[in-house]
Amino acid sequence: RQEIFSTKIYAYGMAGVGMVYRHDVMAKRAVTSAVFGFGIDRSITKNILAEVKYTYMSGRDQATTDPVNYFIPFVNSLNFGVAYQI
């Protein structure tokens, strides 16, 4: 987490491992995949924090004659949040 100039807005990056679950009529699978993202946050008051972040979770596929059974979708998300800090 790093302050952007002297604006009291902080930027951060993240990387890790996530678990993707697929449960439908074609397949019931769970796989681990890479997760990357970045965001900014700012304290609005002493106890309230606002945040905007982007997250990308990689999917998985397999070269087969019936790939629909193995496909795990790629996920992109943009999140807005407000948190109460104790």
Side-chain angles (χ1 to χ4, degrees), residues 42-62:
R42 185 178 198 287
S43 292
I44 297 171
T45 67
K46 180 182 173 189
N47 293 34
I48 297 182
L49 175 83
E51 172 185 57
V52 177
K53 69 180 174 181
Y54 167 79
T55 307
Y56 168 79
M57 180 176 279
S58 65
R60 183 170 293 175
D61 202 358
Q62 187 172 329

Side-chain angles (χ1 to χ4, degrees), residues 6-84:
S6 294
T7 60
K8 305 264 190 223
I9 296 174
Y10 292 86
Y12 61 89
M14 59 187 143
V17 177
M19 194 73 143
V20 178
Y21 297 96
R22 178 181 169 191
H23 183 92
D24 57 35
V25 295
M26 305 277 299
K28 293 177 178 73
R29 306 184 57 211
V31 296
T32 56
S33 62
V35 178
F36 306 98
F38 58 89
I40 57 173
D41 62 34
R42 185 178 198 287
S43 292
I44 297 171
T45 67
K46 180 182 173 189
N47 293 34
I48 297 182
L49 175 83
E51 172 185 57
V52 177
K53 69 180 174 181
Y54 167 79
T55 307
Y56 168 79
M57 180 176 279
S58 65
R60 183 170 293 175
D61 202 358
Q62 187 172 329
T64 65
T65 56
D66 196 9
V68 72
N69 292 330
Y70 298 97
F71 179 71
I72 300 292
F74 298 83
V75 178
N76 291 295
S77 64
L78 183 62
N79 303 297
F80 302 94
V82 176
Y84 183 81

